[in-house]
Amino acid sequence: MRRRHRCSTWSCIAVDVQCQRLATHDGPHGASPTPTHDRHWSWTDDDPNAITVLPGTVWFHRPDRTRIKKAARLLGEWTAYGLVAALLWWCDSWAAAAVFLALELLLSVRRAHFVDLGRFTAGVWPVTPAAPPLIFGVAFATHGEGRNAKRAGLEVILGPVVVGAFSLVPRSDWPAYKRSQAAFEAQQKELHP
């Protein structure tokens, strides 16, 4: 793996920050006070005392360290979950431990996962940020918008995630959907033999 080096240039004494860009960058130097700050300072080699404040974040990330930190955090979390599951198994039953691990795995979902079973699909996905906060909820998935839309399946909201099973298209539209899907696959095979 190639190491990424940070630019070694410092700004003027008034701000006194090191450039957060890569050592081989083009253009002006830049630095943000924190990794999530929405603005950054910018200056050039010609005049390091002329500092401008611009929108956006400029922060040097070391990918090797961030991956190690993320892996260590995940290892720590799952070690704790394993210890709790072992304690539940020892004190109660294997079913309690399995339910605990399944709920932890379910509630840790950060992106959508689906399994297609012919005309039907089942999956788990995070709740949209615009949705009202719920601890538990049950809803119907529909084909289309409005009150007259046909029901497609069932969704269960469990805090930050939704678990659902529903049909992809109504039964009457399934043959036309399969034909269009087969035509699309044939077209893809012609383009990419």
Side-chain angles (χ1 to χ4, degrees):
M1 177 172 41
R2 205 176 98 221
R3 289 188 57 99
R4 296 164 27 129
H5 295 285
R6 179 175 161 186
C7 181
S8 60
T9 307
W10 286 76
S11 68
C12 67
I13 302 298
V15 178
D16 197 27
V17 291
Q18 185 180 356
C19 179
Q20 295 287 325
R21 299 186 193 275
L22 292 175
T24 58
H25 74 87
D26 291 329
H29 301 286
S32 295
T34 64
T36 58
H37 203 271
D38 62 345
R39 300 206 180 273
H40 72 277
W41 296 297
S42 180
W43 69 94
T44 61
D45 286 329
D46 299 334
D47 190 8
N49 293 324
I51 293 191
T52 56
V53 178
L54 299 172
T57 302
V58 176
W59 194 263
F60 181 74
H61 297 281
R62 288 189 172 92
D64 51 340
R65 288 188 182 175
T66 56
R67 277 187 282 193
I68 291 171
K69 285 180 183 177
K70 191 181 291 187
R73 184 180 54 81
L74 282 173
L75 181 65
E77 284 179 12
W78 282 100
T79 302
Y81 296 153
L83 290 173
V84 170
L87 185 65
L88 281 170
W89 192 336
W90 183 62
C91 292
D92 193 15
S93 68
W94 65 269
V99 167
F100 170 75
L101 286 176
L103 283 175
E104 281 302 324
L105 186 63
L106 179 69
L107 294 178
S108 67
V109 169
R110 298 289 177 255
R111 59 189 174 102
H113 300 279
F114 287 94
V115 175
D116 289 339
L117 307 166
R119 189 171 72 95
F120 297 93
T121 188
V124 59
W125 62 95
V127 173
T128 58
L134 288 174
I135 295 173
F136 180 78
V138 178
F140 287 106
T142 59
H143 292 293
E145 302 279 331
R147 293 178 175 251
N148 297 332
K150 294 180 181 179
R151 290 183 181 169
L154 191 66
E155 297 176 350
V156 178
I157 301 166
L158 300 169
V161 296
V162 180
V163 179
F166 46 89
S167 62
L168 294 170
V169 293
R171 184 176 299 178
S172 59
D173 298 341
W174 181 246
Y177 175 78
K178 287 299 286 180
R179 283 192 300 273
S180 68
Q181 189 177 21
F184 176 74
E185 288 174 0
Q187 182 184 16
Q188 289 299 316
K189 285 183 181 177
E190 288 176 4
L191 292 174
H192 308 287

